[in-house]
Amino acid sequence: MMKPLFIAAALLAVAPLSYGQGQITLICQPACSVPSVSSNELSELVTNPALPTNIDWQTAKLSTPASDAEQQLHQQQLVTKLAALAEQLQKQGDVIQAQRINILRQRIAELKAIGAYPLSLDPDVVRLKPEYSPKLAGDYRLTISSIPQRELTLWNSSRTSMTWVPGKQTSEYVGIEQQQPGIDADTVTVIAPDGSTETVPTGYWNRRYHEPQPGSQIWLNLQTSAFGQEYQSLNQEIIHLLTQRTVAP
C-alpha cells in the first residue's frame, strides 16, 4: 500500500490551492439521499452523517475525475491490445485461444473501472492515526455500496460467476477450468473485494489451502509463453485493472 505521506501529497495535488475543502460526488448503490458532500479530510468524509448506513467499506473507492479518466484510457488501450492479440491468434490458426481472448476483450470493455487511490476508507482504520486521514482539497468521487457482494466473479472460465460457499477452497472453484489449453494449470490470482491480490497455488502437486472472501474475483492466468513480447505483461495489466473494478453504477 502507498505510504500515507505520499497519499496525502497526491490527494492535495488534485486541485488548485484556492479550494478550501474537498467536494465529493457520491456514486452509490443503491442511490444516496444526497448527490455530494464536502469534507476537509478523509476521516470527516467517511463519518459524514449524510452517507448511507451499512456501507461495505472493503469495496469503497475514492478517486478523482482525472484519475478515473486515466484509468479508463488504460482500459481502452487494453481492449485494443486484446483485439490485436485475438486477430493474431486467429491468423495463426489458434481458433480456441482467439475465441477466449475475444470473449475476454468484450468483458473488459464492459466492466466499470475507476482510478481509485490505494488507501483504506474503513472509518475504524482512518481514525487510528492522523496520517491515515489526509486533507482533502478539490473534486473527488466516492464510490460506495451498501449491498454485500456474495458472488465470486470468474475470468477466463466457462462461467462468469459462482456462488460463494463457506469453507470451499479456491482450487475447488476453478478445478477443471484450469485444464483448458492456454490456461496456467498451477496458479490463479485472487482479487479480494478491497483490491488486494494473492497468487494461489492450485495445481495437483503445489496446491495450498485457500478460501476466497465472498465477493472476490478469480483470475485464471493466461499462458503467455506463446505470445509475442508485447503481450508478456498481459496478466499483470488485466489484474491491475480488475483491482479497480467497481460494481456501483
Side-chain angles (χ1 to χ4, degrees):
M1 179 175 288
M2 190 183 295
K3 292 182 179 180
L5 181 61
F6 291 111
I7 294 174
L11 291 174
L12 286 171
V14 301
L17 294 177
S18 58
Y19 281 53
Q21 60 181 183
Q23 309 297 321
I24 301 96
T25 298
L26 302 179
I27 303 171
C28 311
Q29 186 185 34
C32 288
S33 58
V34 294
S36 63
V37 295
S38 300
S39 298
N40 292 302
E41 58 184 41
L42 191 58
S43 60
E44 182 183 338
L45 169 61
V46 298
T47 57
N48 193 305
L51 296 181
T53 57
N54 302 320
I55 291 173
D56 181 4
W57 287 110
Q58 275 203 108
T59 60
K61 291 179 171 61
L62 182 68
S63 63
T64 67
S67 66
D68 286 350
E70 183 178 2
Q71 185 63 256
Q72 286 152 17
L73 175 60
H74 291 329
Q75 181 178 354
Q76 184 54 53
Q77 291 171 337
L78 188 52
V79 169
T80 301
K81 191 173 188 176
L82 288 169
L85 175 58
E87 183 178 359
Q88 185 180 108
L89 291 168
Q90 188 75 36
K91 289 179 179 178
Q92 294 171 353
D94 193 345
V95 179
I96 294 177
Q97 187 74 316
Q99 183 180 27
R100 175 183 293 117
I101 296 299
N102 264 324
I103 292 172
L104 176 60
R105 174 185 58 80
Q106 292 168 2
R107 291 187 68 191
I108 292 294
E110 293 169 0
L111 70 79
K112 172 69 173 177
I114 61 177
Y117 286 101
L119 77 171
S120 174
L121 300 181
D122 187 332
D124 292 335
V125 174
V126 172
R127 291 179 294 187
L128 281 177
K129 296 180 181 179
E131 57 264 35
Y132 293 165
S133 179
K135 301 292 183 182
L136 300 177
D139 293 328
Y140 301 90
R141 291 169 175 167
L142 178 63
T143 303
I144 50 179
S145 173
S146 56
I147 303 175
Q149 299 299 315
R150 307 293 291 179
E151 292 282 300
L152 299 175
T153 301
L154 273 64
W155 296 89
N156 294 322
S157 168
S158 60
R159 294 165 290 185
T160 58
S161 65
M162 293 185 71
T163 301
W164 177 80
V165 179
K168 189 172 182 178
Q169 294 188 55
T170 298
S171 58
E172 296 179 82
Y173 289 106
V174 294
I176 195 170
E177 301 287 351
Q178 281 191 285
Q179 299 176 22
Q180 302 175 80
I183 296 296
D184 183 348
D186 293 324
T187 63
V188 298
T189 301
V190 177
I191 303 157
D194 65 358
S196 60
T197 63
E198 184 176 2
T199 300
V200 179
T202 52
Y204 183 80
W205 296 108
N206 69 339
R207 186 173 302 168
R208 175 166 60 84
Y209 189 90
H210 180 274
E211 294 181 28
Q213 298 178 43
S216 293
Q217 303 177 77
I218 301 178
W219 169 258
L220 277 68
N221 293 296
L222 296 168
Q223 288 182 337
T224 60
S225 56
F227 299 165
Q229 185 61 37
E230 66 272 31
Y231 300 111
Q232 292 309 302
S233 62
L234 195 57
N235 282 305
Q236 292 85 348
E237 291 177 51
I238 296 175
I239 289 167
H240 174 70
L241 179 67
L242 297 182
T243 66
Q244 300 292 298
R245 175 174 173 258
T246 176
V247 296

